[in-house]
Amino acid sequence: MSKKPFYITTPIYYPSGNPHIGHCYTTVACDSIARFKRMQGYDVMFLTGTDEHGLKIEQKAAEKGVTPKEFVDGIVEKFKNLWKYMNIDYDRYIRTTDDYHIDTVQKIFKSLYDKGYIYKGEYSGKYCTPCESFWTDSQLDENGCCPECHRPVAFAKEEAYFFKMSSFAERIEKLLTETDYLRPKTRALELVNNFIKPGLEDLCVSRTTFKWGVPVSFDEGHVVYVWIDALSNYISALGYMNDAYNDYDKFWPADVHMVAKDIMRFHAIIWPAILMALDIPLPKHLAVHGWITFNGEKMSKSLGNVVDPFILGERYGCDAIRYHILREMALGADSSFSNEIMINRINSDLANGLGNLVARTVTMADKYFGGTLPSDREADPLDENFKSVVLNAFAETEKAMEETKIKQALEEIFKAVDRANKYIDETEPWKLGKDEIKKNRLASVLYNLLDAIRIISALLSPFMPVVMPKIWEQIGASENDVTYDKLSVFGVLPKNVTVHKGEILFPRIDVDKEIEELNNIIQKNMAEAKSNLSSEEKGEIAEKIELAPEISIDDFAKIEIRVAKIKSAEKVKKSDKLLCLQLDDGMGGRQVVSGIAQYYSPEDLIGKKIQLIANLKPVKLRGVESLGMICAADTPDGIKVVFVDDSIPVGSKIR
Ligand code: MSP
């Protein structure tokens, strides 16, 4: 019987700077899903790659005095090295500079043009050069600047091709609201309200302002919009409209595209519209996760707040890093990366939980039976509950993985780890070992533990592919004992199984010492990042830190800044930008309207503490009363709310 196909993709990354742990999340998540599916017997195609065209790359290469291709070649190597280091077992790697891909993009563009879905027009509007985006007046921020990077925009006019997005609005709305294409579904409403309800505008899909892109084959001087180029990778890599590969019929439609929230819109609206226009099936699922943030900021190389995954991997092993990022991130929400949380998690789950379970069990089998369990056994009704918890973990993990809920899958598996450790406490093997007539019972207990470890470690192997085979070696499990069909039953290990005591799987980490060392590394990184900024970036920062005229302490004292907690948040009707927040301000509560809707969903905010300018004159924004303002920072990545440590009580005065 031929295996069922399963196709999963990461976004293709911009090779504009070195990869960091933020990039790792999607790739590690997809790798784990791909490995899980392979274990289940699927024929898997796991695709990743790099998105190498566009103005930013052209500019960075020029700054370095190399060609764009030379520039990206160096960084692509770094991405590939990182994936190798993190044990990413991808099946195919696409570069948008590959000839076959360029050829396919040209054919796709021409085919959409021939079908009448792409037409030539003229674009005039406000253009943001760094973001390569035209914006309509209503999309600009409060200062009339780019809504993404908040830099000034300039009026520009150019001949351009447009894609008739508007023809697909109704079908896309249905896709988002009536199917489970988008996971989590809660994000669908946000897209429909922000982009579809206000009227889906036709999309400008060609540029004449730079050269580093796929040329429009029938109109010299135009290059294809980077997102059309990039999104097409998911089908060109299978051989759609090209002869480089021959897997399109087998693997398309994709089972899962996984992306972070900032590029959800492109995958939830533009990509389905292109596929509809090409008249080919839509992917089955789009799984959207949040960002890994560091001290509340999206990780970014230019800020230097990046923890180098190579350094972390060297210190704690790449399996531990993989486990930590997967265990922290729930689908849809952001997850904050902290060295302290990571180290504590490695210590509690991996060193104390799993590592200890294996070490204790193997050591006892060694101590009491010289490593090989005898055949005589004595069961106890107590065993049944233990086994049922382990088997239930298998069933729940399978279910969670079906829904791409990796965090949940890991939680389920660790319930079995905890239960196994508890089983040791309940059965007290060290007491059984002292009494010759209880040896049969002891053999049963240890066998059950070893067999539970077999199931647990096999379930964990897609997530931690290096250490789990070491566990199999220690518990005497052969490759045949850990196949997927054997994970829903006990009694698989040989009756007289022989254990092999081995190295400590996850050494305990000295929390204080490590945190201090990691903080030193980060300080150094940040200083380096600052000195490596391009002249343009330095200029921007210098421009930003030009101060307003001095004020006296009395002037400052006029401003009442208080700590408040966000109780609820909802979008202000007919506004893309405004959120209406209900605050607990320690003074009976109040309502504040804030222009942060493009950067935060209500669920990102509820329960968080913020700084409130409490004595600002009330105003009405879009007809909604705002009694004060919350503090936020302008950053190159957009507006960031300044959150306050949870230990500071609501109502506290900030000075
Ligand atoms: N080239 C586009 C994707 C085209 S897909 C057809 C792109 N590239 S990117 O390199 O900027 O980002 C790739 C992915 O990495 C995005 O999903 C982005 O959100 C994700 N991440 C980058 N930094 C991240 C974090 N700190 N945390 C989680 N994901 C992050 O967008």
Side-chain angles (χ1 to χ4, degrees):
M1 207 176 74
S2 70
K3 290 174 164 187
K4 259 176 88 180
F6 182 85
Y7 180 32
I8 183 163
T9 67
T10 71
I12 46 172
Y13 298 93
Y14 288 129
S16 55
N18 290 346
H20 54 70
I21 199 126
H23 292 121
C24 287
Y25 177 77
T26 328
T27 314
V28 169
C30 289
D31 180 62
S32 303
I33 295 172
R35 286 172 183 270
F36 199 91
K37 287 285 167 185
R38 287 189 200 113
M39 182 165 86
Q40 286 181 311
Y42 284 82
D43 183 356
V44 172
M45 169 61 69
F46 167 25
L47 174 74
T48 188
T50 26
D51 180 5
E52 305 182 11
H53 291 127
L55 181 62
K56 270 184 227 166
I57 301 271
E58 190 176 87
Q59 286 171 338
K60 288 216 167 191
E63 235 174 60
K64 294 235 159 20
V66 294
T67 65
K69 183 68 171 42
E70 282 165 349
F71 175 76
V72 291
D73 280 350
I75 299 177
V76 167
E77 235 4 76
K78 291 186 182 169
F79 269 95
K80 286 189 171 173
N81 285 341
L82 177 61
W83 300 153
K84 200 167 162 197
Y85 187 71
M86 297 297 283
N87 287 297
I88 304 298
D89 190 10
Y90 53 77
D91 297 289
R92 199 160 288 170
Y93 191 99
I94 186 167
R95 298 184 58 172
T96 55
T97 48
D98 291 338
D99 287 342
Y100 77 90
H101 173 77
I102 293 175
D103 186 47
T104 307
V105 171
Q106 289 184 321
K107 287 184 182 147
I108 288 176
F109 198 91
K110 176 75 167 47
S111 150
L112 294 174
Y113 180 75
D114 290 342
K115 287 175 177 222
Y117 287 118
I118 284 182
Y119 61 93
K120 196 168 189 177
E122 187 177 74
Y123 207 102
S124 66
K126 304 285 166 54
Y127 190 72
C128 172
T129 309
C131 295
E132 298 170 23
S133 298
F134 273 104
W135 301 104
T136 60
D137 283 336
S138 68
Q139 288 171 320
L140 297 176
D141 72 7
E142 305 74 36
N143 304 318
C145 292
C146 170
E148 301 236 300
C149 71
H150 303 284
R151 283 181 266 220
V153 289
F155 181 79
K157 199 159 122 179
E158 66 179 44
E159 225 185 23
Y161 286 90
F162 288 83
F163 173 60
K164 281 190 182 167
M165 287 284 288
S166 43
S167 318
F168 304 99
E170 212 173 299
R171 281 177 69 191
I172 290 171
E173 183 169 347
K174 280 202 171 128
L175 174 74
L176 298 179
T177 53
E178 292 175 16
T179 74
D180 72 339
Y181 173 64
L182 188 65
R183 292 172 170 174
K185 189 85 176 264
T186 44
R187 293 248 177 218
L189 209 59
E190 177 186 326
L191 281 174
V192 170
N193 286 342
N194 288 351
F195 296 101
I196 299 183
K197 292 274 189 236
L200 203 51
E201 287 175 20
D202 287 354
L203 181 72
C204 181
V205 289
S206 70
R207 298 285 186 271
T208 50
T209 43
F210 63 92
K211 297 248 163 317
W212 182 238
V214 176
V216 173
S217 58
F218 51 91
D219 198 345
E220 210 181 312
H222 290 262
V223 295
V224 175
Y225 174 45
V226 278
W227 273 99
I228 304 289
D229 171 2
L231 289 162
S232 305
N233 94 88
Y234 299 130
I235 47 179
S236 71
L238 297 179
Y240 178 76
M241 287 193 181
N242 69 63
D243 295 330
Y245 295 106
N246 194 18
D247 305 302
Y248 174 79
D249 290 336
K250 180 167 165 193
F251 288 112
W252 192 257
D255 292 272
V256 180
H257 288 316
M258 188 174 281
V259 302
K261 61 183 183 181
D262 53 334
I263 58 170
M264 162 176 78
R265 175 166 67 95
F266 300 95
H267 287 80
I269 298 179
I270 300 178
W271 182 224
I274 295 171
L275 295 170
M276 286 170 190
L278 289 171
D279 201 19
I280 66 178
L282 303 185
K284 293 177 203 157
H285 297 292
L286 174 65
V288 179
H289 60 81
W291 288 333
I292 299 189
T293 58
F294 193 76
N295 294 337
E297 301 265 7
K298 180 182 171 194
M299 286 194 178
S300 131
K301 186 72 192 165
S302 60
L303 292 173
N305 64 3
V306 181
V307 193
D308 186 338
F310 286 105
I311 294 183
L312 294 178
E314 231 155 73
R315 299 175 93 88
Y316 317 119
C318 82
D319 271 13
I321 309 305
R322 286 174 63 117
Y323 173 72
H324 172 67
I325 55 180
L326 295 174
R327 178 69 179 69
E328 281 297 307
M329 178 84 88
L331 209 59
D334 283 351
S335 106
S336 139
F337 187 95
S338 118
N339 294 322
E340 198 171 341
I341 297 176
M342 174 184 65
I343 292 170
N344 284 325
R345 163 107 32 227
I346 295 174
N347 275 347
S348 69
D349 293 9
L350 300 182
N352 293 352
L354 180 63
N356 210 13
L357 171 66
V358 176
R360 288 209 281 174
T361 308
V362 171
T363 305
M364 288 191 288
D366 220 29
K367 179 170 170 193
Y368 299 119
F369 297 111
T372 301
L373 295 191
S375 308
D376 292 336
R377 298 285 153 79
E378 185 188 323
D380 186 293
L382 191 75
D383 302 340
E384 291 317 308
N385 173 272
F386 166 53
K387 289 185 191 175
S388 74
V389 171
V390 175
L391 295 180
N392 186 52
F394 166 79
E396 291 298 324
T397 302
E398 183 173 77
K399 204 164 119 218
M401 289 305 282
E402 232 14 81
E403 297 168 9
T404 48
K405 292 182 174 161
I406 297 178
K407 177 182 163 70
Q408 198 173 315
L410 291 172
E411 279 166 5
E412 293 300 337
I413 303 172
F414 273 82
K415 280 184 194 162
V417 173
D418 290 345
R419 183 64 187 87
N421 274 319
K422 197 169 147 220
Y423 179 71
I424 299 184
D425 298 339
E426 284 168 357
T427 52
E428 301 181 312
W430 51 91
K431 285 193 184 156
L432 302 174
K434 281 190 193 142
D435 194 338
E436 203 45 46
I437 59 165
K438 292 189 178 149
K439 282 270 168 108
N440 292 354
R441 175 67 193 135
L442 177 62
S444 264
V445 167
L446 292 180
Y447 182 84
N448 290 340
L449 282 167
L450 288 171
D451 221 22
I453 294 172
R454 172 187 63 82
I455 295 172
I456 289 168
S457 55
L459 284 175
L460 284 174
S461 61
F463 311 98
M464 292 187 275
V466 178
V467 180
M468 296 309 116
K470 293 184 185 167
I471 295 185
W472 301 336
E473 166 74 24
Q474 294 199 17
I475 63 168
S478 69
E479 261 181 39
N480 272 338
D481 298 336
V482 290
T483 54
Y484 198 72
D485 56 316
K486 306 226 176 76
L487 306 185
S488 51
V489 280
F490 265 82
V492 169
L493 286 176
K495 211 160 188 200
N496 300 109
V497 61
T498 301
V499 301
H500 307 277
K501 243 181 117 175
E503 61 183 294
I504 294 178
L505 299 165
F506 298 101
R508 243 192 103 75
I509 304 170
D510 178 337
V511 184
D512 292 340
K513 180 174 150 269
E514 282 296 312
I515 288 177
E516 196 187 326
E517 287 183 18
L518 289 180
N519 282 347
N520 288 341
I521 294 171
I522 287 171
Q523 296 297 334
K524 214 174 108 220
N525 278 353
M526 289 177 99
E528 250 167 45
K530 225 172 178 178
S531 66
N532 283 341
L533 287 177
S534 67
S535 48
E536 187 206 347
E537 287 163 324
K538 275 185 190 147
E540 277 158 20
I541 287 179
E543 193 184 308
K544 273 196 198 113
I545 57 175
E546 203 170 284
L547 296 177
E550 268 178 10
I551 56 167
S552 70
I553 187 84
D554 296 335
D555 289 333
F556 177 69
K558 289 181 193 153
I559 307 171
E560 277 277 339
I561 314 175
R562 299 273 175 174
V563 174
K565 186 170 184 168
I566 302 176
K567 290 193 302 187
S568 66
E570 64 177 0
K571 295 201 73 158
V572 170
K573 284 199 188 90
K574 292 196 206 132
S575 163
D576 285 354
K577 294 178 193 138
L578 299 178
L579 278 185
C580 179
L581 312 172
Q582 300 302 330
L583 304 180
D584 173 6
D585 57 359
M587 297 170 259
R590 69 169 75 196
Q591 168 172 305
V592 165
V593 176
S594 180
I596 52 173
Q598 281 160 321
Y599 304 96
Y600 295 89
S601 309
E603 64 266 24
D604 296 333
L605 296 167
I606 294 167
K608 296 255 171 74
K609 286 187 180 165
I610 46 86
Q611 305 187 11
L612 166 72
I613 310 292
N615 62 338
L616 203 64
K617 236 191 198 148
V619 284
K620 275 198 172 171
L621 297 169
R622 296 265 166 158
V624 182
E625 187 162 51
S626 181
L627 303 166
M629 187 178 101
I630 71 168
C631 292
D634 286 320
T635 79
D637 289 332
I639 298 177
K640 299 274 158 78
V641 173
V642 183
F643 293 113
V644 172
D645 193 279
D646 202 33
S647 63
I648 306 178
V650 157
S652 307
K653 185 170 162 70
I654 298 176
R655 56 196 172 83

